[in-house]
Amino acid sequence: MQTDSLARARQWLEPHTSRAADWPVETLCKAKGSTTVSVVLPARDEERTVGEIVRTIRRDLPELVDEVLVVDSRSTDATAAVAAAAGAKVVHQDAVLPALPPMSGKGEALWKGLAASTGDLVVFIDADLRNFEAHFVSGLLGPLLTDPSVHFVKGAYERPLRGRRGEGGRVTELVARPVLNLFWPELAGFIQPLGGEYAARREVLERVPFVTEYGVEIGLLIDLLDLVGLDAMAQVDLGSREHGHQSTAALGRMSGQILLTAWSRLEREGRIVASEAPASTLLQFTPSGKERPAEVSVAERPSLASVRTAI
């Protein structure tokens, strides 16, 4: 069964992978029709990069993008002011659906961005990109605007680490890719399963839950595979992606969140039965050997459609 699933991933890979250059903006504007597009950027303390991203979208894609929304995730710097000055609509994470108890993490900001945005198609872009260009957005929109059978598009790219090609994406290669190949081999063809650039139809995104921390991307892949199937998913090569890099300790905490998310999906699918829940504390150490406990538990927002029905 696992061998068949991996063969399915290989069969999927070529026909469902394209390049950003395959989707000229002029062609997409003609295909857009009455479809509306929102670009959502979750941002926490990203005043150095968020403004240029917003300006580029506003300058280069005025006919393609109807809304640029920045979710200020409790920033302590001028992220909100810089984004607004560049032309974005800015919402503060805790001001969206304020009747709900507050949660933290990237997934929470994405979920709140989905709730606050209005487009039929929603594009998520990380706000820390240093080499952002308009094709990051237009490339992701290409399959969605031209093929009604496609519901989700993931960005693929090279991720250099401090100038070294092929060295970025450490958590992807050491944690996410092995987990997906072991348990969801149909998803093995996604080149950057944890990448923060992807787009989907609103009606699909509102039907799946969002993990509130860094497990959000792997959780969405698994849940959308179950909801729409592999043939409704695609990826687009966006070239090279440069962004800020986190410390090894921070990557360890991210890895813990990703593993907990994968565990929750395996448990939900009835593929594992545990006598007790996994531990939620990661014991790390400083260079001097001092203990440094870290919380790696994850929470989850239910599907937005169910929340809106409830409230």
Side-chain angles (χ1 to χ4, degrees):
M1 183 67 177
Q2 293 282 351
T3 302
D4 291 344
S5 295
L6 191 56
R8 178 76 180 91
R10 292 193 177 103
Q11 182 184 44
W12 169 89
L13 183 59
E14 184 175 352
H16 291 83
T17 302
S18 59
R19 301 170 304 156
D22 296 332
W23 310 108
V25 173
E26 297 78 10
T27 301
L28 298 183
C29 287
K30 292 177 182 178
K32 183 174 183 281
S34 61
T35 303
T36 54
V37 174
S38 294
V39 177
V40 174
L41 291 87
R44 182 174 186 178
D45 296 334
E46 303 294 355
E47 64 178 4
R48 291 178 295 178
T49 51
V50 69
E52 184 58 28
I53 296 173
V54 172
R55 279 190 293 272
T56 299
I57 297 170
R58 285 300 191 198
R59 181 189 66 230
D60 296 346
L61 303 173
E63 297 181 13
L64 195 60
V65 174
D66 301 281
E67 176 184 47
V68 180
L69 179 77
V70 171
V71 182
D72 181 21
S73 185
R74 303 170 189 151
S75 296
T76 58
D77 66 4
T79 291
V82 169
K89 174 184 177 182
V90 177
V91 297
H92 296 277
Q93 181 173 305
D94 296 330
V96 180
L97 301 176
L100 299 177
M103 292 185 177
S104 62
K106 180 184 180 183
E108 172 76 348
L110 292 170
W111 190 79
K112 290 292 186 71
L114 178 63
S117 61
T118 61
D120 302 317
L121 304 181
V122 181
V123 182
F124 292 115
I125 300 289
D126 278 352
D128 66 341
L129 298 186
R130 297 173 178 173
N131 67 327
F132 177 83
E133 295 183 30
H135 72 266
F136 276 52
V137 173
S138 58
L140 292 170
L141 288 170
L144 291 167
L145 287 172
T146 59
D147 186 347
S149 71
V150 174
H151 294 283
F152 175 81
V153 181
K154 188 80 174 180
Y157 26 66
E158 182 182 340
R159 298 177 67 180
L161 176 64
R162 301 181 185 91
R164 301 193 304 274
R165 297 182 61 182
E167 295 296 321
R170 291 164 288 173
V171 175
T172 293
E173 298 304 327
L174 297 174
V175 181
R177 198 176 309 286
V179 164
L180 290 176
N181 275 265
L182 286 170
F183 301 111
W184 294 276
E186 305 98 317
L187 296 172
F190 281 95
I191 296 169
Q192 295 293 349
L194 301 184
E197 286 67 51
Y198 44 96
R201 302 188 190 279
R202 172 174 297 278
E203 60 186 346
V204 169
L205 289 173
E206 291 194 350
R207 293 170 60 192
V208 292
F210 276 55
V211 175
T212 61
E213 301 289 346
Y214 281 105
V216 61
E217 273 86 22
I218 196 170
L220 284 174
L221 272 183
I222 295 167
D223 293 343
L224 287 169
L225 175 67
D226 180 59
L227 180 65
V228 303
L230 188 61
D231 283 335
M233 306 168 78
Q235 65 184 343
V236 175
D237 185 351
L238 303 177
S240 178
R241 179 185 192 270
E242 298 176 13
H243 64 109
H245 296 285
Q246 301 202 45
S247 67
T248 300
L251 296 181
R253 296 188 290 273
M254 290 171 59
S255 299
Q257 292 165 356
I258 290 163
L259 289 172
L260 284 175
T261 301
W263 175 282
S264 73
R265 268 55 188 169
L266 288 168
E267 197 168 38
R268 186 175 301 170
E269 294 174 7
R271 299 170 67 183
I272 56 172
V273 178
S275 59
E276 60 184 50
S280 60
T281 301
L282 177 66
L283 189 60
Q284 297 181 311
F285 296 87
T286 66
S288 62
K290 184 178 180 181
E291 293 182 2
R292 183 171 56 191
E295 181 69 24
V296 295
S297 61
V298 296
E300 188 171 296
R301 287 291 193 190
S303 70
L304 188 58
S306 66
V307 168
R308 283 181 167 151
T309 299
I311 60 177

